[in-house]
Amino acid sequence: MKHLPNDQWLEKQMEKNSTKLPVVRVAWIDSASTHGWQRPEDLKGTGLNKVETVGFLFRNNKKEIHVLQSVDGSHNFGERMAIPRPCVQSVKRLQ
């Protein structure tokens, strides 16, 4: 895995030009839940889900990673995904 910048570097990039944030793919494990009454046989195959999220790296620290879906040149962003570090399996820098 290539070195990923930390929060301080990312904050300086946002001040300069938000479109220059690194693009990453994060593989992580998401929690799952069910609703209503169920029989034990209905629960087979349910559980944790492996997810991949691609976007602009906005936060990167020991507690969490934040990925943005969209950014513009005016420091606006949309669709932030905050992923707890213990759920992260891998992070790959794409550009």
Side-chain angles (χ1 to χ4, degrees):
M1 173 179 5
K2 292 181 180 178
H3 172 72
L4 294 173
N6 62 23
D7 281 355
Q8 292 80 18
W9 185 91
L10 293 166
E11 286 173 11
K12 287 179 185 175
Q13 277 304 112
M14 282 296 286
E15 290 172 9
K16 294 179 191 175
N17 184 350
S18 58
T19 61
K20 297 293 183 184
L21 294 172
V23 177
V24 296
R25 177 175 37 222
V26 182
W28 57 287
I29 300 297
D30 195 7
S31 57
S33 66
T34 60
H35 64 280
W37 292 96
Q38 298 169 358
R39 299 181 306 254
E41 59 269 18
D42 296 334
L43 298 177
K44 290 181 182 176
T46 62
L48 304 178
N49 298 308
K50 184 174 181 181
V51 179
E52 290 192 3
T53 299
V54 176
F56 296 93
L57 183 64
F58 178 66
R59 291 256 183 264
N60 179 32
N61 58 52
K62 292 179 182 180
K63 289 175 47 177
E64 60 201 358
I65 288 179
H66 292 213
V67 178
L68 306 175
Q69 174 88 33
S70 304
V71 297
D72 70 14
S74 300
H75 304 290
N76 298 310
F77 60 88
E79 304 302 325
R80 178 184 57 136
M81 171 70 72
I83 306 167
R85 268 288 178 184
C87 298
V88 174
Q89 292 187 315
S90 66
V91 181
K92 180 179 180 181
R93 187 173 183 159
L94 302 177
Q95 76 177 45

